[in-house]
Amino acid sequence: MPTLSEYDKQVISTWGLQNSVDIISLSHTRSSEDVRELRAFLKSHDLQDTQIYAKVENAEGLEHFDEILQEADGIIISRGDLGIDLPPERVFMSQKTGIHKCNMAGKSVIITRVVDSMIDNLRPTRAEATDVANAVLDGTDGILLGAETLRGQYPVDAVRTVGRICAEAETVYNQSLHFKKVARHVGEPMAHEESVASSAVRSAMKVKAAAIVVFTFSGRAARLIAKYRAPMPVLAVVFPREGSDPSKWRSYGTTQARQCFSVRGVYPLMGSTDEAETGGLTKEEYGIKLALNYGRSVGIIKPYDRVIIFEKIGDSSVVKIIECDDSER
């Protein structure tokens, strides 16, 4: 059977197009050709900005994992079906290897089937709680709940519980080790963009910055910073491209911003170049003000904290350090 069925195409071309979907999960992805086929279909229906997350859930998908990863925008490791297709003793290694490869490539990776017992029970088992924490420590970007929220008796509690476990695991995540692994994988000489992104994260750690503010058009710069797993939040201010149609920007920009939610540690914000919204400030002044105000409102940034600013000017990337004052302006 084809990976992309006729029914899938019908739904994408109607409901998907009407709602400008941000991400499509391609179930039972078996090869990179499956991803390319969906990409071409999306482009033909004016959904070229929609990201594709390849759902790897069988032995054939694992066999072609590297080529799938190269073509897809992200990976979903579906452990439920993998547990059927593989011997139980091989599932854990498939998960860990898949997460590692996605981390090194700087692409989002999400795992499934973590707290099945919460379909009928208010609390997960100790093994499930440990499983969630280990996934975070391995480097997963997100946890996808399925039956727990689809038909479970405690959907809200399931989200809260998994969220608390993830937050606790993040406090002991070995960021410096991850940074070294990615830098070693990228190798030397580094590409310009990898060099400045890693330098921004290294600088943020050196000065103990409270956050990294990234100005971006597509979200790519924010994902590049997040690849090095900064121990502080990344505030991604998504601006419209120069010369873009203002009437179309809001819907386009919203898509780019929302897609950043799937990247670990990134908080997307919608920027603007409209003078009515910027109040006559320059793009940089407005972006910094927007990010700092948001950071203060959620408790990320406090008076006299240091913040790293990462932006691209022409063909060059610039990293700056600023110190926040105690004003609310």
Side-chain angles (χ1 to χ4, degrees), residues 215-324:
F215 298 160
T216 181
F217 298 121
S218 63
R220 186 167 179 268
R223 286 190 284 271
L224 196 57
I225 292 286
K227 175 180 179 177
Y228 289 89
R229 287 289 189 266
M232 65 287 296
V234 178
L235 305 181
V237 183
V238 183
F239 280 105
R241 289 186 182 277
E242 292 182 10
S244 59
D245 185 349
S247 63
K248 296 180 180 179
W249 154 244
R250 185 57 60 176
S251 60
Y252 167 81
T254 301
T255 296
Q256 315 308 310
R258 282 198 300 242
Q259 287 170 345
C260 287
F261 277 120
S262 65
V263 184
R264 182 165 165 173
V266 176
Y267 296 71
L269 305 168
M270 286 292 293
S272 175
T273 54
D274 188 341
E275 285 192 18
E277 293 186 47
T278 62
L281 298 173
T282 65
K283 171 189 167 183
E284 183 182 31
E285 292 170 339
Y286 167 75
I288 292 174
K289 180 180 178 181
L290 179 68
L292 295 187
N293 286 343
Y294 174 79
R296 290 190 184 104
S297 69
V298 297
I300 293 173
I301 299 172
K302 301 184 290 298
Y304 307 111
D305 275 345
R306 290 174 177 173
V307 174
I308 295 291
I309 310 296
F310 179 83
E311 63 176 319
K312 192 170 184 180
I313 300 176
D315 294 328
S316 302
S317 298
V318 179
V319 178
K320 302 177 183 178
I321 304 173
I322 66 170
E323 188 170 290
C324 308

Side-chain angles (χ1 to χ4, degrees), residues 130-293:
T130 303
D131 185 31
V132 173
N134 279 330
V136 174
L137 297 177
D138 285 342
T140 189
D141 288 88
I143 304 291
L144 176 62
L145 299 181
E148 302 97 327
T149 49
L150 174 67
R151 56 184 173 83
Q153 297 182 43
Y154 308 99
V156 177
D157 293 286
V159 174
R160 286 175 179 160
T161 300
V162 171
R164 286 197 300 268
I165 297 170
C166 289
E168 189 69 23
E170 286 175 0
T171 64
V172 294
Y173 180 71
N174 193 337
Q175 186 278 337
S176 61
L177 178 62
H178 179 93
F179 185 95
K180 292 174 184 176
K181 284 181 178 179
V182 175
R184 188 164 57 246
H185 177 80
V186 172
E188 294 180 356
M190 276 187 172
H192 173 71
E193 55 189 15
E194 294 280 357
S195 175
V196 291
S198 60
S199 296
V201 175
R202 187 183 292 110
S203 299
M205 292 189 291
K206 292 285 186 183
V207 302
K208 293 182 168 52
I212 300 176
V213 176
V214 181
F215 298 160
T216 181
F217 298 121
S218 63
R220 186 167 179 268
R223 286 190 284 271
L224 196 57
I225 292 286
K227 175 180 179 177
Y228 289 89
R229 287 289 189 266
M232 65 287 296
V234 178
L235 305 181
V237 183
V238 183
F239 280 105
R241 289 186 182 277
E242 292 182 10
S244 59
D245 185 349
S247 63
K248 296 180 180 179
W249 154 244
R250 185 57 60 176
S251 60
Y252 167 81
T254 301
T255 296
Q256 315 308 310
R258 282 198 300 242
Q259 287 170 345
C260 287
F261 277 120
S262 65
V263 184
R264 182 165 165 173
V266 176
Y267 296 71
L269 305 168
M270 286 292 293
S272 175
T273 54
D274 188 341
E275 285 192 18
E277 293 186 47
T278 62
L281 298 173
T282 65
K283 171 189 167 183
E284 183 182 31
E285 292 170 339
Y286 167 75
I288 292 174
K289 180 180 178 181
L290 179 68
L292 295 187
N293 286 343

